[in-house]
């Protein structure tokens, strides 16, 4: 597993780019094939194949055009505000993806599979929500306490996984998946109790958080972009510092590279596991803070959406590096934001985003496949990197293809 | 038949059970549960009688209701649990393994005690409870079997969820298009195997981490089926109105009181499930093929040395696993006579994964765990209509919590196949 992660982390940016291209092409083919006009033209495909091809091409380009407009800049919108709204939507949607993706990436670097961003995020929003609508604190302090609560909630849920792994050897893959569901049902239960359910509401929804607990909007009331975005960028910078410049990060990376060697060198593997899962959970909790205090404002059972699974894809596409995670989060945020406009304007269901996203990650995860599609030579490693004998195993497979 | 010449050298590796003194922790957990039973079901047991209706479901013989007095039953069950704890502890002290029946009996007693407590003076139908639980357990059993077949060969199958969903989707579409539930039933394992094929290609051929492939495949299948549901299936609704595979009563057997309607008046898919569990069990533990599969999962290098093609074995097993889970998906549509719905599997693949782990990677254990989880889910459904001491969300949570406890070693030891999740590269 470690050698494979290393391989993915080190494969060239070109592979990532090509993976994205291939995924969009496949998505386009799917859009074309399911387009009613194309299907009609398919009926006489052998008589006039160009009709089907052009109809399919039109369907795919229209869908992707709408997606692009919905993600970056919409020249067709009526007002200037609505024209530039898409790019701010992208940043807003990307915010929790980046934060949760950082958490997953951090754990990857220590050799742990944190599938539990979803659960950690839910614990975060539970605590932050309670602070947000039950404590009525002064402006400034309230937001700070609420964010802190979210971070602590996530850190506890993540830390539990770390402790179980360190003390009992319970595989974190299993415990994180299971704890995701425990958190989900916990939230569902809490939303039926007096402490969390909105007064007079029959459906499971919490009261809205106080205005003092919400992230301030950055660009005024017409845009949803909030301070949480900047906070998450700072968190990304901090994660970079933590991993690359701090002693703790050095230990973590050492454990990730080779736990046995790290133990021999006197580092505590258990402490690294617990520590990194606390940090990863805290970041997922921060994602929850962005989601609840930034955009949603009320707790609902489905508040976590698909941020947890998306975070895994973000971390993989970003090669578990903070900058990469930020960029990958922005890309997937753009897909999501653009998908909304695409669905509204062209009727292409937003679910195509899931398809494109998962194909991207599958291809990223298999650099040899992408290289064989485009007949690229396996990348030459820098001399300093060639010392690790384990990494190129996947390379050999690719070369043999 | 079980030991053939080429496979023989791998047998010790496959069967190498570590000889060590069993820890006291499982006994402590059992003791805690026994104490809980005494306290909750006995001491704080419901005053009235909890009534279980035994007839219904078309059984030939009509039986009277079975009233169980709340508190006295709680005491009896609690004390029986304590007795079992003593049996297990004595065995441990003597260095013997606990009797094989002790822990299952303990679990069964506890479940009965819990039922009496939670029904709390009201009346529920036992046939409805068990039969519904069995129906809900079918996708879980198939999913867990899928996990067993794949992981015993050393490939982690997180993609069960996607395989269930793909099976549900394709079986509904094929059955609708051909107007034949049987053809739909045939399509379901194909869909699951297709997802398994992707898993195998990426995990075995391209050495991508198996967990990542599984997670991403689940997202891919969810996205694809959602997309096709919103486009193709919504445009032409005749593609999503499958004929169902309704219950078929087996003559004689279905007339047995209580168990008859529960076990033998079900959809064909349920009967397939009985067969699948038996076949997988026998194949894994009584045939040459099974021995080789387990060798590949435990010590691939040793298996390779004696001439077993490790990656081909794994490839085949992942395909079989996918087909099994796909068949389970058919239960969601054809078995329940329902049209396909978005995200229909709704996390059942992950509960199946939990059932596999909880059942310690064995078909029998997976069956028992999946039945228990199905029962818990059905109980939740039934109890949501009557007032009970336990919020329904906690019953839904129970399988997941139980699995966390199991992998953390609090309830016995769960040991995954030694090479589970590790790709094999021939040297």
């Amino acid at each position: 597993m470690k050698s494979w992660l290393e391989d993915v982390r080190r494969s060239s940016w070109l592979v990532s780019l090509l993976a994205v291209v291939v995924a969009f092409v496949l998505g386009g083919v799917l859009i074309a094939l399911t387009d009613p006009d194309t299907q009609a033209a398919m009926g006489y495909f052998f008589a006039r194949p160009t009709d089907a091809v052009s109809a399919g091409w039109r369907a795919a380009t229209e869908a992707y055009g709408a997606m692009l407009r919905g993600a970056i800049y919409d020249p067709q919108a009526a007002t200037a505000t609505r024209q530039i709204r898409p790019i701010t939507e992208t940043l807003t949607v990307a915010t929790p993806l980046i934060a949760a993706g950082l958490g997953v990436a951090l754990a990857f670097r220590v050799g742990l599979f944190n599938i539990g961003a979803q659960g950690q995020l839910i614990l975060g929003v539970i605590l932050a929500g309670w602070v947000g609508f039950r404590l009525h604190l002064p402006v400034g302090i309230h937001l700070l306490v609420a964010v802190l609560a979210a971070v602590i909630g996530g850190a506890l849920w993540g830390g539990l996984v770390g402790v179980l792994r360190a003390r009992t050897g319970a595989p974190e893959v299993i415990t994180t998946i299971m704890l995701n569901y425990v958190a989900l049902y916990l939230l569902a239960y809490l939303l039926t109790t007096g402490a969390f359910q909105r007064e007079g509401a029959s459906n499971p929804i919490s009261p809205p958080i106080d205005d003092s607990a919400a992230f301030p909007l950055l660009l005024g009331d017409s845009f949803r972009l909030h301070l949480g975005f900047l906070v998450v960028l700072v968190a990304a910078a901090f994660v970079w510092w933590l991993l690359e410049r701090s002693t703790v990060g050095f230990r973590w990376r050492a454990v990730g590279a080779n736990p046995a060697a790290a133990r021999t060198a006197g580092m505590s593997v258990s402490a690294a596991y617990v520590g990194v899962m606390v940090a990863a959970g805290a970041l997922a909790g921060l994602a929850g803070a962005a989601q609840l205090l930034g955009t949603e404002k009320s707790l609902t059972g489905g508040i976590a959406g698909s941020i947890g699974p998306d975070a895994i894809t973000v971390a993989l596409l970003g090669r578990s590096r903070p900058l990469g995670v930020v960029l990958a989060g922005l890309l997937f945020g753009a897909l999501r934001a653009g998908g909304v406009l695409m669905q509204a304007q062209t009727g292409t269901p937003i679910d195509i985003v899931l398809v494109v996203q998962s194909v991207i990650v599958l291809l990223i995860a298999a650099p040899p496949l992408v290289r064989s599609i485009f007949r690229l030579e396996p990348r030459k490693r820098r001399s300093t990197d060639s010392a690790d004998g384990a990494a190129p195993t996947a390379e050999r497979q690719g070369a043999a293809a | 038949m079980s030991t053939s010449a080429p496979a023989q050298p791998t047998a010790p590796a496959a069967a190498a059970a570590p000889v060590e003194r069993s820890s006291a922790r499982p006994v402590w957990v059992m003791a805690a549960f026994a104490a809980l039973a005494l306290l909750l079901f006995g001491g704080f047991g419901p005053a009235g009688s909890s009534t279980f209706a035994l007839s219904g479901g078309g059984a030939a013989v009509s039986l009277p209701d079975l009233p169980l007095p709340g508190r006295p039953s709680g005491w009896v069950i609690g004390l029986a649990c304590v007795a079992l704890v003593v049996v297990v502890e004595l065995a441990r002290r003597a260095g013997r393994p606990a009797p094989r029946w002790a822990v299952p009996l303990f679990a069964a007693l506890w479940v009965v005690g819990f039922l009496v407590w939670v029904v709390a003076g009201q009346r529920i139908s036992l046939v409805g409870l068990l039969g519904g639980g069995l129906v809900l357990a079918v996708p879980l059993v198939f999913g867990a079997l899928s996990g067993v077949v794949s992981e015993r060969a050393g490939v982690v199958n997180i993609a069960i969820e996607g395989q269930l969903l793909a099976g549900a989707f394709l079986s509904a579409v094929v059955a609708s298009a051909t107007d034949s539930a049987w053809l739909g039933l045939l399509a379901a394992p194909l869909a699951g195997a297709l997802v398994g094929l992707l898993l195998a290609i990426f995990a075995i051929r391209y050495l991508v981490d198996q967990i990542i492939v599984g997670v991403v495949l689940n997202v891919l299948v969810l996205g694809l089926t959602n997309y096709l549901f919103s486009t193709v299936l919504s445009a032409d609704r005749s593609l999503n109105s499958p004929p169902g595979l309704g219950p078929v009563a087996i003559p004689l057997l279905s007339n047995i009181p209580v168990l008859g309607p529960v076990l033998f008046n079900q959809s064909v898919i349920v009967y397939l499930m009985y067969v699948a569990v038996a076949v997988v069990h026998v194949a894994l533990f009584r045939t040459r093929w099974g021995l080789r599969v387990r060798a590949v999962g435990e010590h691939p290098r040793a298996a390779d040395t004696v001439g077993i093609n490790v990656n081909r074995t794994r490839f085949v097993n992942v395909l079989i696993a996918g087909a099994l889970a796909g068949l389970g998906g058919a239960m969601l549509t054809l078995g329940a006579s329902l049209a396909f719905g978005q995200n229909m599997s709704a996390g059942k693949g992950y509960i199946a994964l939990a059932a596999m782990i909880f059942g310690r990677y064995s078909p029998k254990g997976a069956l028992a765990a999946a039945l228990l989880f199905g029962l818990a889910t059905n109980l939740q459904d039934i109890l949501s209509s009557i007032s009970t001491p336990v919020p329904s969300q906690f019953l839904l949570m129970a399988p997941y919590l139980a699995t966390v406890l199991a992998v953390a070693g609090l309830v016995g030891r769960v040991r995954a196949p030694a090479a589970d999740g590790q790709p094999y590269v021939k040297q």
Side-chain angles (χ1 to χ4, degrees):
Chain A
M1 167 197 129
K2 240 143 279 148
S3 63
W4 167 79
L5 273 178
E6 282 293 289
D7 188 51
V8 170
R9 223 160 54 73
R10 288 167 193 224
S11 69
S12 76
W13 286 97
L14 182 64
V15 170
S16 303
L17 189 69
L18 292 176
V20 173
V21 171
V22 172
F24 271 103
V25 169
L26 285 178
V29 170
L30 186 62
I31 295 174
L33 287 180
T34 51
D35 176 60
D37 293 347
T38 317
Q39 283 173 346
M42 285 295 243
Y44 53 94
F45 182 83
F46 290 105
R48 231 168 9 155
T50 48
D51 274 17
V53 172
S54 69
W57 175 258
R58 198 167 53 242
T61 48
E62 272 175 11
Y64 281 149
M67 188 188 268
L68 195 65
R69 288 198 304 279
I72 297 176
Y73 176 75
D74 187 3
Q76 298 177 358
T79 64
T81 312
R82 287 179 58 181
Q83 282 178 354
I84 59 165
R85 197 178 142 81
I87 182 75
T88 67
E89 276 299 294
T90 292
L91 299 183
T92 312
V93 176
T95 304
L97 293 182
I98 295 172
L102 284 171
V104 177
L106 198 58
F108 270 152
R109 294 288 289 271
V110 191
L112 293 183
F113 271 106
N114 174 19
I115 316 278
Q118 191 87 350
Q120 294 149 15
L121 185 153
I122 289 175
L123 252 282
V125 294
I126 287 175
L127 292 197
W130 190 82
V131 169
F133 52 73
R134 285 288 173 249
L135 298 185
H136 304 291
L137 301 172
V139 178
I141 297 175
H142 200 177
L143 175 61
L144 205 65
V145 175
V147 172
L148 210 62
V151 168
I152 290 173
L156 286 176
W157 213 239
L160 176 63
V161 171
V163 170
L164 284 175
R165 170 72 203 256
R167 290 283 302 273
T168 71
E172 75 284 356
V173 176
I174 306 297
T175 49
T176 47
I177 290 177
M178 300 305 150
L179 286 176
N180 282 347
Y181 284 95
V182 173
L184 186 71
Y185 289 121
L186 183 65
L187 175 61
Y189 165 70
L190 287 175
L191 284 174
T192 64
T193 61
F196 278 85
Q197 195 170 18
R198 189 178 289 188
E199 289 83 1
S202 57
N203 53 337
I205 186 167
S206 80
I209 55 162
D210 294 358
D211 285 342
S212 54
F215 277 119
L217 296 174
L218 286 181
L219 301 172
D221 288 343
S222 344
F223 303 100
R224 293 200 304 163
L225 188 62
H226 54 85
L227 185 66
F229 178 66
L230 298 183
V231 174
V232 167
L233 288 188
V234 171
F238 175 74
V239 169
W240 175 84
W241 175 85
L242 188 70
L243 272 176
E244 308 294 339
R245 291 291 179 273
S246 75
T247 318
V248 173
F250 174 73
R251 290 203 188 110
W252 285 359
R253 281 184 294 134
V255 169
N258 189 338
R263 192 178 290 119
T264 310
M267 298 171 191
S268 165
V269 176
S270 300
Y273 284 162
V274 175
V276 82
M277 282 310 297
V278 166
L283 286 162
L286 183 62
Q291 184 75 351
L292 176 70
L293 310 176
T295 48
E296 298 291 318
K297 307 286 164 67
S298 293
L299 270 176
T300 54
I303 188 168
S306 64
I307 296 174
D310 289 348
I312 301 166
T313 58
V314 166
L316 282 171
L317 179 59
R319 287 148 202 289
S320 305
R321 291 196 179 107
L323 178 62
V325 168
V326 171
L327 295 177
L330 288 175
L331 175 68
F332 287 165
L335 288 181
R336 281 290 144 97
V340 174
L341 189 77
M342 177 189 71
Q343 181 160 348
Q345 287 196 350
T346 68
T348 307
I350 194 169
D351 303 294
I352 195 77
V353 169
L354 282 181
V355 177
V356 171
Q357 199 172 321
S358 48
V359 172
I360 290 178
V361 175
L362 273 182
L363 293 176
I364 296 269
L369 177 61
V370 179
R371 283 194 287 262
S372 66
I373 291 175
F374 290 95
R375 304 191 182 283
L376 299 175
E377 288 298 307
R379 188 188 182 202
K380 291 270 188 298
R381 296 190 182 279
R382 293 189 298 275
S383 56
T384 47
D385 287 351
S386 61
D388 55 336
T393 45
E395 299 276 353
R396 276 204 299 276
Q397 284 291 107
Chain B
M1 164 153 198
S2 59
T3 50
S4 65
Q8 207 157 26
T10 64
V19 184
E20 57 186 55
R21 205 203 151 122
S22 54
S23 106
R25 201 154 49 182
V27 183
W28 279 113
V29 175
M30 277 177 77
F33 272 95
L36 194 66
L38 275 179
L39 204 71
L40 212 57
F41 311 154
F44 293 93
S49 287
S50 305
T51 309
F52 297 92
L54 297 183
S55 48
V61 192
S62 173
L63 291 175
D65 285 0
L66 174 70
L68 288 176
R71 213 164 288 165
S73 327
W75 282 114
V76 171
I77 285 168
L79 289 175
C81 285
V82 171
L84 281 170
V85 172
V86 173
V87 168
V88 171
E89 174 63 11
L90 285 180
R92 194 186 70 82
R93 291 251 170 103
R96 283 180 287 119
R100 293 172 63 93
W101 44 264
V103 174
L105 184 62
F106 183 90
L109 277 174
W110 210 89
V111 169
V112 172
F114 180 79
L115 276 176
V116 172
W117 176 66
V118 85
V119 172
Q122 309 196 47
R123 180 178 184 274
I124 64 169
S125 157
L126 194 61
V127 172
L129 176 68
L130 297 178
L134 179 66
V135 167
L136 287 173
V138 172
L140 308 183
V141 174
F142 276 112
L145 279 183
S146 161
V148 170
V149 169
S150 168
E151 310 224 1
R152 280 283 180 170
V155 180
V156 175
N157 189 4
I158 304 272
I160 299 171
E161 173 82 5
Q163 292 158 352
L164 282 175
L165 193 57
F169 177 83
L170 199 66
S171 63
V173 171
V174 169
S176 308
T178 61
D179 203 28
S180 157
W182 292 100
L183 286 177
L185 192 59
L186 216 59
L190 287 180
L194 203 63
V195 180
L197 178 68
L198 283 176
L199 174 63
I201 289 176
F202 279 93
I204 299 169
R205 169 73 182 76
Y206 288 106
L207 303 178
V208 181
D209 186 273
Q210 297 161 1
I211 293 154
I212 293 297
V213 188
V215 170
V216 177
L217 280 179
N218 289 342
V219 178
L220 177 65
V221 175
L222 179 67
L224 262 181
T225 53
N226 274 357
Y227 180 82
L228 293 173
F229 178 84
S230 311
T231 52
V232 181
L233 295 194
S234 326
D236 183 359
R237 294 201 187 275
S238 68
L239 280 178
N240 191 15
S241 42
L245 283 169
V248 179
I250 295 184
L252 293 182
L253 286 178
S254 61
N255 293 335
I256 304 171
V258 184
L259 286 184
V262 170
L263 294 178
F264 301 111
N265 187 14
Q266 297 281 13
S267 164
V268 176
I269 305 176
V270 177
Y271 302 138
L272 278 178
M273 177 192 87
Y274 301 152
V275 176
V277 172
V279 167
V280 171
H281 176 78
V282 171
L284 264 184
F285 298 110
R286 293 279 183 275
T287 68
R288 180 187 307 192
W289 174 82
L291 189 63
R292 291 181 176 185
V293 165
R294 286 180 291 136
V296 163
E298 295 288 345
H299 200 319
R301 180 128 300 141
D304 191 9
T305 312
V306 297
I308 301 171
N309 188 332
V310 172
N311 282 337
R312 193 172 64 203
T313 307
R314 289 185 167 180
F315 216 100
V316 170
N317 270 53
V318 172
L319 289 186
I320 297 173
L324 280 169
L327 204 52
M331 186 67 196
L332 300 172
T333 48
L334 305 180
S337 300
L338 288 175
F340 177 81
Q342 288 194 340
N343 194 14
M344 198 166 202
S345 49
K348 289 192 176 61
Y350 292 110
I351 307 193
L353 189 74
M356 175 201 69
I357 295 162
F358 206 65
R360 303 187 186 194
Y361 299 85
S362 89
K364 281 193 295 187
L367 174 69
L371 287 175
L372 193 64
F373 292 174
L375 189 71
T377 312
N378 193 39
L379 189 62
Q380 185 272 135
D381 282 348
I382 292 174
L383 293 186
S384 57
S385 56
I386 60 177
S387 70
T388 60
V390 182
S392 63
Q393 289 86 1
F394 286 98
L395 277 174
L396 291 173
M397 206 189 271
Y400 304 107
L401 268 181
T403 305
V404 171
L405 293 180
V407 293
L410 287 175
V411 244
R413 266 161 42 88
V414 175
R415 199 185 64 86
D420 205 11
Q422 294 163 12
Y424 180 69
V425 184
K426 209 176 167 87
Q427 303 254 303

